[in-house]
């Protein structure tokens, strides 16, 4: 069944500000399709972002939308969830936004296990500001501030989220949009902090510097560096070098969700008062 | 809270916030402000509000802004180093035009400075700490009871003008314990943001053509049905980014005018024994208490001296100081820093008066004796 996207988009804000073929659109589409499958009401959804190309996403959708400062989407989303615990709260922002300047908020949201969904649009670069390297820029690849190739090691977003205590963690990519949509849907349904590492193509700022200026070629390349969990299990450490494993890595419904803990705290305080 | 309380300034700020209807607090502990979160961690859940200690001051101010967007009256409290971290967020609240109260319990600086000691050295940071053109409201209570009443006024101004308001207290006021008679809350006017009444699809958060210079903003009850967009980018009336020079400039000017055109409602100051005075002291906050003692002492020695005390310290009471400068040949500026309001007094008095100072940045309050000596010296 095809989705009527006009139900979710602010049609008067189109065309999109993004470069043609940008992965941001693919990730946004996967999100809207997942929401459509869940049958959620627009009034019940808040979408929050920081600053970056991907962070412009919320502006196009007809939800409660809040475009904050670079790196600061997560505390705002946390507050919205605390104020309206029955709302669905989604953060849609970039790899730089969430793992560099906003890295501290990222790990603490995971630790609290507050019921928000963090979608990291992981295009390996600071797209908006002209291709400077991010904590997720693959080592050895070029960026405007790493003209000789990136010497920085990268974060593994999945391991970072896991270690910090997120209770749903998955990685998908724009090369397999249906799978990405399915992971996002599961993340949205999950009660607790859910993290999606969404590998995405910035063929302009990352691609052009690394011989992938064409979006189709870059998406194919992304496909070539991803392996499913099942396949990965059969590969050696050396064979997995430089590969991104896709799949669901954590799905734990047992850890207490934060707004629930806070609700109980209120009950305790009011019983005593 | 009963009518008579033994409390310190920090607890009074916390209680006043609750009385004013604040139901969201986010913060990161820092001396000398920590009794505010400690008190609110106990009280907020009792009144069904949210208390959260975040990972840092940046997260705290952003969370408070997020809560304000979601319809809640919100507050964050800190001291100098934390205020520096919150500045980008304060600018975001200015741009989004979201009500917010930021308490700054001033201590010495720069940097870690004197964590437990008094200062008034954030006076200029309060005004100019965030980047870009903007107007700010800042209030400096001077006594324990004022920490309570002025906190309520801070919330009222924030709601009414959809703007961040800074409450500048200090280490002395914060930790001063005293008996305070708290007026019954029914004596206060509690102001709430104006509510939209138009159908949700017709509501835009900056539609000044339709709603006037300060458009309505949904409260927590109405928020769910009014979906709108907010951004820190320069925005048009719908809340979406624009780079249209005309729209940008009009909006920047409007954000300043919404405060300056209502200055009569926002300003607050005290004239103390100025009518027959020959010499004028200008002081604010804790330090005004020392000035008052010095003035009474000087008066008992026959020296005619009075005080002008800004309570709303930003916007600076420029017109009042200009008028005073025409009347007073000699003005003494006193503040617990190396001269910050001094610049404002110099600017506003336009060279009409000779300006003297009693300034100190030693981590201890200025003693009344120091001010008295200056009064005696200039009255010779
Ligand atoms: C405090 C602050 N520092 C730096 C910037 C500049 N800046 C804007 S977006 C951005 C990087 C965006 O990269 P990412 O989050 O990966 O998003 P993308 O554009 O790739 O989607 C930077 C450095 C800013 N706006 N604010
Ligand atoms: S610069 Fe990159 S991330 Fe930004 S819109 Fe273009 S392709 Fe997308
Ligand atoms: Mg990026």
């Amino acid at each position: 069944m095809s989705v009527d996207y006009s139900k979710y988009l602010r049609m008067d804000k189109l065309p999109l500000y993004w470069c043609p073929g940008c992965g941001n659109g693919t990730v946004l589409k996967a999100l809207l399709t997942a929401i459509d499958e869940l049958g959620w009401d627009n009034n019940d959804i808040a979408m929050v972002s920081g600053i970056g190309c991907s962070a412009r996403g919320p502006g196009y959708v007809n939800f409660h939308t809040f475009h904050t400062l670079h790196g600061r989407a997560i505390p705002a989303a946390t507050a919205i969830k605390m104020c309206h615990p029955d709302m669905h709260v989604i953060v849609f922002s970039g790899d730089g936004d969430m793992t560099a300047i906003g890295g501290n908020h990222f790990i603490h949201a995971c630790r609290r296990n507050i019921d928000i969904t963090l979608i990291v649009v992981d295009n390996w670069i600071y797209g908006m500001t002209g291709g400077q390297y991010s904590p997720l820029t693959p080592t050895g690849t070029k960026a405007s501030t790493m003209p000789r190739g990136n010497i920085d090691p990268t974060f593994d977003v999945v391991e970072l989220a896991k270690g910090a205590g997120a209770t749903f963690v998955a990685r998908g990519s724009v090369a397999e949009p249906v799978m990405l949509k399915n992971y996002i849907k599961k993340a949205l349904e999950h009660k607790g902090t859910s993290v999606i590492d969404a590998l995405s193509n910035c063929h302009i700022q990352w691609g052009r510097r690394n011989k992938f200026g064409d979006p189709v070629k870059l998406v194919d390349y992304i496909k070539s560096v991803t392996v499913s969990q099942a396949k990965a299990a059969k590969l050696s450490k050396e064979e997995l070098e430089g590969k991104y494993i896709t799949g669901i890595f954590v799905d734990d419904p047992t850890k207490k969700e934060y707004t629930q803990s806070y609700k109980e705290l209120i009950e305790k305080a009011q019983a005593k008062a | 809270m009963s009518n008579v309380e033994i409390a310190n300034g920090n607890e009074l700020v916390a209680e006043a916030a609750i009385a004013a209807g604040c139901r969201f607090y986010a913060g990161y502990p820092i001396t000398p402000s920590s009794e505010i979160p400690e008190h609110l961690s106990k009280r907020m859940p009792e009144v069904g509000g949210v208390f959260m200690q975040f990972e840092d001051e940046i997260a705290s101010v952003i969370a408070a802004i997020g809560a304000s967007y979601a319809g809640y009256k919100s507050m964050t409290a800190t001291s100098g180093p934390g205020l520096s971290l919150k500045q980008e967020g304060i600018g975001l609240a200015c741009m989004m035009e979201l009500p917010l109260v930021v308490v700054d319990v001033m201590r010495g600086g720069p940097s870690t400075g004197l964590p437990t000691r008094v200062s008034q050295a954030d006076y200029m940071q309060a005004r100019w700490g965030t980047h870009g053109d903007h107007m700010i409201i800042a209030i400096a209570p001077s006594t324990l009871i004022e920490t309570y009443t002025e906190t309520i006024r801070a919330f009222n101004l924030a709601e009414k003008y959809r703007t961040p308001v800074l409450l500048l207290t200090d280490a002395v006021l914060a930790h001063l314990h005293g008996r305070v008679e708290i007026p019954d809350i029914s004596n206060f006017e509690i102001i709430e943001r104006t509510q939209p009444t138009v159908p949700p699809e017709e509501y835009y958060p900056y539609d000044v053509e339709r709603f006037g210079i300060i458009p309505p903003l949904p409260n927590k009850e109405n928020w769910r049905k009014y979906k709108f967009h907010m951004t820190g980018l320069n925005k048009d009336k719908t809340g979406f980014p624009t780079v249209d020079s005309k729209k940008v400039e009009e909006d920047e000017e409007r954000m300043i005018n919404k405060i300056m055109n209502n200055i009569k409602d926002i300003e607050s100051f005290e004239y103390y024994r100025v009518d027959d005075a020959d010499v004028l002291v200008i002081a604010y906050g804790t330090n005004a208490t020392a000035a008052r003692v010095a003035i009474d002492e000087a008066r008992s020695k026959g020296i005619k001296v009075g005080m002008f005390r800004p309570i709303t310290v930003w916007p600076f009471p420029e017109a009042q100081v200009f008028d005073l400068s025409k009347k007073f040949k000699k003005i003494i500026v006193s503040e617990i820093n190396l001269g910050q309001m001094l610049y404002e007094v110099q600017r506003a008095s336009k060279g009409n008066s000779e300006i003297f100072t009693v300034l100190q940045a030693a981590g201890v309050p200025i003693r009344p004796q120091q001010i008295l000596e200056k009064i005696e010296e200039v009255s010779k």
Side-chain angles (χ1 to χ4, degrees), chain B residues 30-92:
Chain B
I30 183 168
T31 305
S33 75
S34 296
E35 294 80 8
I36 295 174
E38 281 163 9
H39 194 78
L40 286 174
S41 68
K42 181 171 163 284
R43 292 283 286 128
M44 267 304 178
E46 288 173 5
V47 297
V50 178
F51 168 89
M52 269 186 92
Q53 181 173 305
F54 271 85
E55 52 273 16
D56 61 26
E57 282 86 351
I58 303 174
S60 307
V61 70
I62 300 294
I65 291 167
S68 181
Y69 160 74
Y72 276 59
K73 286 189 183 180
S74 66
M75 178 170 93
T76 184
T78 189
S79 185
L83 186 65
S84 295
L85 288 175
K86 287 182 198 293
Q87 287 294 356
E88 194 191 8
I90 291 171
L92 182 68

Side-chain angles (χ1 to χ4, degrees), chain A residues 43 65 67 84 105 112 262, chain B residues 49 51 55 70 227 229-231:
Chain A
N43 280 354
T65 55
H67 182 215
H84 300 278
H105 312 314
R112 286 185 198 105
Y262 196 80
Chain B
F51 168 89
E55 52 273 16
K227 292 194 299 296
H229 185 68
M230 283 194 168
T231 176

